[in-house]
């Protein structure tokens, strides 16, 4: 099971490859995981937003976890697996979290309940119940997708719960992280806002869960490593080269641009998405390819 000290560094949210007929593409997934596991990463996230979690059935999540563990065994590298289990139904979240533990997940990524727009007290109660499943919980705050924002006191109360080991902060700014640091919260908070990665590291983030780290994984690892070595300015300079690509990766709905790039690089056989997501337009494809070219042709991730 994932411990608080393990929740640091580069956690890559995996993309879910689909064949042209919409089924899971195991061959592409195995090839893709091989490139990630060869990099200096500290963990993987299965069934996050980047993995198109709204359209992936739970039976498919179990297959992805099984394939991920098998890939680790083949490549001789083991990192923690965090599985997205959160829904806007507390009962199903509890059931999925318990099942994730049974199939070998090291932690669960549980999003703030979306669409229902619960009260702050209801959100705390949701996470308290989720933690009862016995699997370490990483809170996922992303108000742009959930329609509700964690208050400062609510976030601190949730992070104080037994069984909650940390948070992915995709709140859109620095305020929540700054508030938790100011309150003396010691549990790790990971940056979930790709464009804010070096700024959040400087402020006290323990690492990241970033979709864009799929493309130039080594470069993101260098940013993190330089910061940990005390070279914050060097980390920021290293990230500046990545910033144009990061911006383009979110010019359309994630993971559509990322999936196109992974297919272009040969890691996926198909860039198929599940509706309602659609492939990126030709103009964005051109911009992505140009941005990647400017970064140089670093092998693989």
């Amino acid at each position: 099971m994932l411990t608080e000290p393990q929740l640091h560094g580069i956690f890559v949210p995996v993309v879910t490859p689909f064949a042209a007929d919409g089924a899971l593409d195991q061959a592409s997934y195995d090839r893709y995981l091989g490139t990630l596991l060869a990099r200096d990463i500290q963990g993987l996230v299965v069934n996050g937003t980047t993995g198109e979690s709204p359209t992936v059935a739970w039976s498919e999540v179990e297959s992805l976890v099984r394939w991920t563990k098998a890939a680790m065994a083949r490549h001789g590298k083991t990192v923690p697996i965090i599985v997205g289990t959160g829904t806007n139904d507390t009962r199903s979240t509890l059931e999925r979290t318990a099942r994730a533990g049974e199939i070998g997940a090291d932690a669960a990524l549980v999003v703030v309940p979306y669409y229902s727009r619960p009260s702050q007290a209801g959100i705390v109660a949701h996470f308290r119940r989720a933690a009862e499943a016995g699997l370490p919980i990483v809170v996922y705050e992303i108000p742009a997708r959930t329609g509700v924002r964690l208050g400062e006191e609510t976030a601190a109360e949730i992070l104080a719960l037994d069984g909650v080991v940390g948070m992915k902060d995709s709140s859109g700014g620095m305020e929540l992280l700054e508030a938790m640091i100011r309150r003396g919260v010691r549990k790790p908070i990971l940056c979930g806002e790709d464009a804010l990665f070096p700024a959040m590291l400087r402020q006290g983030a323990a690492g990241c869960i970033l979709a864009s780290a799929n493309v130039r994984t080594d470069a993101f690892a260098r940013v993190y490593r330089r910061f940990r070595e005390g070279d914050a300015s060097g980390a920021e300079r290293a990230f500046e080269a990545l910033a144009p690509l990061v911006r383009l990766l979110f010019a359309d709905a994630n993971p559509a641009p990322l999936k196109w790039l992974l297919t272009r690089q040969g890691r996926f056989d198909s860039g198929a998405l599940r509706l309602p997501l659609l492939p990126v337009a030709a103009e964005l494809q051109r911009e992505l390819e140009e941005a990647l070219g400017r970064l140089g042709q670093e092998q693989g991730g």
Side-chain angles (χ1 to χ4, degrees):
M1 290 190 180
L2 184 74
T3 63
E4 291 177 28
Q6 290 177 303
L7 194 60
H8 73 276
I10 308 295
F11 279 69
V12 180
V14 299
V15 183
T16 305
F18 303 123
D21 64 359
L24 294 182
D25 179 358
Q26 183 177 0
S28 289
Y29 191 67
D30 288 346
R31 184 167 63 246
Y32 156 69
L33 279 184
T35 65
L36 289 180
L37 292 171
R39 271 44 197 180
D40 183 18
I41 63 172
Q42 284 67 55
L44 295 169
V45 179
V46 174
N47 198 45
T49 306
T50 303
E52 295 178 68
S53 56
T55 63
V56 176
W58 184 254
S59 60
E60 293 175 316
V61 174
E62 295 196 5
S63 294
L64 291 167
V65 173
R66 185 171 64 253
W67 297 345
T68 302
K69 294 178 77 67
M72 288 184 190
R74 282 195 306 275
H75 292 279
K77 181 172 182 177
T78 301
V79 296
I81 302 173
I82 302 176
V83 176
T85 63
T87 73
N88 62 341
D89 171 21
T90 303
R91 181 173 59 181
S92 70
T93 299
L94 180 61
E95 291 171 351
R96 286 181 172 216
T97 303
R99 181 58 184 156
E102 292 170 1
I103 63 176
D106 297 290
L109 182 68
V110 177
V111 68
V112 171
Y114 46 86
Y115 187 77
S116 303
R117 297 175 62 85
S119 67
Q120 298 289 299
I123 296 171
V124 174
H126 176 84
F127 280 99
R128 183 176 289 113
R129 287 298 307 278
E132 292 174 2
L135 190 65
I137 301 296
V138 178
V139 180
Y140 183 13
E141 162 68 335
I142 183 165
R145 290 184 181 270
T146 63
V148 64
R149 183 177 292 273
L150 286 183
E152 178 181 327
E153 292 184 6
T154 304
E157 185 175 355
I158 292 170
L159 284 167
L161 293 172
D162 291 338
V164 172
V165 294
M167 175 183 287
K168 175 184 178 182
D169 180 0
S170 298
S171 58
M174 303 284 290
E175 294 81 6
L176 182 61
L177 174 62
E178 291 170 349
M180 295 303 98
I181 298 297
R182 188 170 60 248
R183 282 173 168 262
V185 171
R186 297 190 179 276
K187 289 182 180 178
I189 297 175
L190 300 184
C191 171
E193 291 287 347
D194 298 54
L196 296 180
F197 183 36
M200 291 186 76
L201 286 176
R202 187 185 282 272
Q203 189 59 39
C208 68
I209 301 176
L210 301 179
S212 52
N214 273 281
V215 180
R216 283 291 180 259
T217 313
D218 284 344
F220 279 88
R222 281 194 294 273
V223 172
Y224 175 71
R225 189 165 55 248
R226 287 182 181 180
F227 185 85
R228 288 296 298 267
E229 292 170 352
D231 185 10
S233 296
E236 290 168 351
R237 287 194 302 272
F239 186 78
E240 285 175 4
L242 294 166
L245 178 62
V246 170
R247 178 182 60 80
L248 290 171
L249 286 171
F250 292 91
D252 200 344
N254 180 47
L258 176 56
K259 214 166 204 182
W260 181 85
L261 267 186
L262 292 175
T263 305
R264 186 74 177 86
Q265 292 178 324
R267 287 199 263 176
F268 287 178
D269 291 333
S270 167
L273 299 141
R274 286 181 175 170
L275 286 170
L277 295 184
L278 290 172
V280 298
E283 177 62 20
L284 181 53
Q285 293 177 15
R286 182 187 62 78
E287 292 178 321
L288 285 164
E289 191 150 26
E290 289 176 355
L292 197 62
R294 286 193 293 269
L295 279 172
Q297 296 303 311
E298 174 190 330
Q299 180 66 30

